[in-house]
Amino acid sequence: MGASQIKDIMTKQFATVTLKDNVYEVAVKMKQEDTGFIPVVDGTKLVGVITDRDIVIRGLAEKKEGSAAVENVMSSTQITSATPQTTIDEAAKLMAKQQIRRLPVVDNGKLVGIVSIGDLAVRDKFADEAGEALNQISEKEKVKI
């Protein structure tokens, strides 16, 4: 049997926002969904991601209004993503290398899922990879403080 793929563990139900949304609307959606990460889509195409940290650093700290466009605060360059066929081990290594906690899953340009460190951690078989990824991310965050 081949290595398990992230399509087997990814979250398929997730909130998204569009370029027509503003920062305030994104913040409300984050509160409603209890998340700090929301993909930005154009139709079904992933065009960026916005995090609670983006809102603070590129929004509030730069004195942008709540009515500021999502594209003014989102991360859009070099979006790290995977395909549904990416193995769980590859995803864990990619997340550790890129220092990210959530990984969008894209199939032919279409956003089809999200994998989080938590998705990896709940799989006993991959707890070591998830733990190592989280450890590396946490170590980098400690340095920034």
Side-chain angles (χ1 to χ4, degrees), residues 21-92:
D21 291 310
N22 63 42
V23 174
Y24 173 77
E25 292 166 327
V26 174
V28 168
K29 191 169 272 194
M30 284 181 174
K31 180 179 178 183
Q32 290 170 341
E33 300 289 329
D34 191 26
T35 186
F37 171 95
I38 298 183
V40 181
V41 295
D42 183 1
T44 58
K45 181 181 180 210
L46 179 67
V47 294
V49 298
I50 187 163
T51 66
D52 46 7
R53 187 171 194 277
D54 291 330
I55 291 172
V56 171
I57 303 298
R58 294 194 195 110
L60 295 173
E62 294 182 8
K63 297 187 178 185
K64 291 195 171 94
E65 298 290 326
S67 59
V70 166
E71 64 186 320
N72 292 332
V73 296
M74 72 180 195
S75 301
S76 59
T77 56
Q78 303 285 322
I79 302 168
T80 301
S81 64
T83 69
Q85 293 74 36
T86 301
T87 67
I88 294 172
D89 185 51
E90 289 169 337

